């Protein structure tokens, strides 16, 4: 009896999978709500591939299916995943920007600038600026976690277009935390900025300003001196150092 039940379960599972199996590429497209109904199958597949590159995802992000399984087993027409609904809204937005708003500009550059998924996403599914990612993590888990998230993203995405790892974002985070009165935590991000970008006069100048505001004049003068060594023509730093007095 147990063997019969097992065989019946396997048979049902097989039939269920077979019922969902489809030919890929399909001969006919189904459930198109944004793309024109007569779009060629190959053109739609190529467009979908461009989406995966723009967002740094795979087919399963929007479509019902199992990773590493044949695409013929996917239920592409299904609207089960909310990401698919969001994707349609984003496509309509892109169409409106390119087809309505940009066309109303009095003067446009040549060749014309148009918006695509990669314009905002740049290889990540959720296109948040790195400042927002770090501050959101800080609010939920504290400074240590926020720094760890920044360093992990920098390790993974440095050299790509996904995030700005230049001299400004961490200074922005520090400024935001200073405005909240979180001076000690702000200093950690300013100093981290100088450690990651040791040739940035801007990073050292911003760190020095924060150190000075926190009352650590010696550390501030050291950072100002580093900034001036990197950029000897920085009149603002020269004026501050002159005001602070002789260099230690």
């Amino acid at each position: 009896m147990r063997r019969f039940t097992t065989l019946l379960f396997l048979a049902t599972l097989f039939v269920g999978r077979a019922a969902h199996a489809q030919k890929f590429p399909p001969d006919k497209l189904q459930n198109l709500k944004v793309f024109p109904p007569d779009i060629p199958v190959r053109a739609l597949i190529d467009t979908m591939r461009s989406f995966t590159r723009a967002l740094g995802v795979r087919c399963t992000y929007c479509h019902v299916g199992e990773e590493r399984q044949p695409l013929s087993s996917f239920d592409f027409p299904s609207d089960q995943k909310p990401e698919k609904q969001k994707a349609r809204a984003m496509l309509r937005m892109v169409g409106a920007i390119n087809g309505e708003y940009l066309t109303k500009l009095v003067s446009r550059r040549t060749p014309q600038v148009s918006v695509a998924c990669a314009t905002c996403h740049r290889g990540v599914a959720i296109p948040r600026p790195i400042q927002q990612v770090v501050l959101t993590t800080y609010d939920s888990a504290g400074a240590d976690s926020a720094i760890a998230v920044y360093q992990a993203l920098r390790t993974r995405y440095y050299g790509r277009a996904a995030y700005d790892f230049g001299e400004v974002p961490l200074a922005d985070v520090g400024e935001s935390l200073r405005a909240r009165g979180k001076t000690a935590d702000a200093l950690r991000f300013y100093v981290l900025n100088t450690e990651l970008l040791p040739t940035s006069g801007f990073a050292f100048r911003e760190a020095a300003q924060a150190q000075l505001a926190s009352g650590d004049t010696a550390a501030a003068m050291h950072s100002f001196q580093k900034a001036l060594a990197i950029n000897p023509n920085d009149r603002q730093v020269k004026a501050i150092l002159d005001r602070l007095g002789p260099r230690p």
Side-chain angles (χ1 to χ4, degrees):
M1 182 64 181
R2 181 177 297 176
R3 181 181 179 186
F4 173 78
T5 302
T6 302
L7 290 174
L8 180 61
F9 170 78
L10 292 174
T12 303
L13 182 63
F14 175 79
V15 171
R17 287 182 174 175
H20 287 92
Q22 305 176 52
K23 177 184 177 183
F24 189 87
D27 295 323
K28 183 180 179 181
L29 298 171
Q30 303 177 50
N31 197 26
L32 297 180
K33 296 182 178 179
V34 177
F35 294 101
D38 59 347
I39 184 173
V41 173
R42 176 47 56 183
L44 181 65
I45 291 174
D46 290 343
T47 301
M48 293 293 158
R49 285 177 174 170
S50 74
F51 293 165
T52 63
R53 291 190 290 272
L55 275 69
V57 298
R58 294 176 64 82
C59 301
T60 50
Y61 188 76
C62 289
H63 297 289
V64 175
E66 295 182 23
E67 198 63 57
R68 298 183 180 178
Q69 294 300 312
L71 292 176
S72 58
S73 68
F74 280 44
D75 188 358
F76 285 106
S78 172
D79 289 340
Q80 176 181 332
K81 289 195 171 184
E83 288 80 7
K84 188 175 183 181
Q85 307 293 348
K86 293 177 184 179
R88 285 177 172 145
M90 293 295 101
L91 287 171
R92 293 187 182 100
M93 178 190 72
V94 168
I97 292 173
N98 290 327
E100 298 177 31
Y101 296 99
L102 292 182
T103 58
K104 296 176 182 177
L105 294 177
V106 176
S107 176
R108 298 191 67 181
R109 298 181 183 276
T110 302
Q112 293 182 347
V113 176
S114 61
V115 171
C117 299
T119 304
C120 293
H121 284 273
R122 300 176 181 271
V124 292
I126 303 175
R128 299 184 190 275
I130 189 69
Q131 295 95 318
Q132 190 178 108
V133 175
V134 172
L135 286 170
T136 299
T137 305
Y138 176 86
D139 290 336
S140 63
D144 288 342
S145 294
I147 289 173
V149 163
Y150 180 87
Q151 292 176 323
L153 290 174
R154 193 175 191 271
T155 298
R156 179 176 179 182
Y157 290 105
Y158 189 83
R160 305 185 193 179
Y163 297 105
D164 178 6
F165 295 108
E167 60 188 7
V168 173
L170 283 181
D172 287 345
V173 171
E175 182 179 355
S176 178
L177 294 179
R178 282 182 65 189
R180 301 185 195 179
K182 304 290 186 180
T183 305
D185 286 341
L187 281 170
R188 294 182 64 184
F189 288 95
Y190 284 118
V191 172
L192 176 63
N193 208 22
T194 64
E195 292 171 350
L196 295 175
L197 301 169
T199 61
S200 171
F202 170 83
F204 279 100
R205 189 179 68 191
E206 293 297 296
Q209 295 280 16
Q211 290 162 337
L212 192 62
S214 72
D216 192 345
T217 305
M221 290 187 68
H222 177 74
S223 295
F224 277 130
Q225 290 164 13
K226 291 283 292 186
L228 192 61
I230 294 169
N231 181 12
N233 297 318
D234 193 325
R235 294 182 179 180
Q236 181 181 358
V237 171
K238 285 182 180 179
I240 294 173
L241 282 172
D242 289 340
R243 189 169 67 248
L244 289 175
R247 295 158 176 71

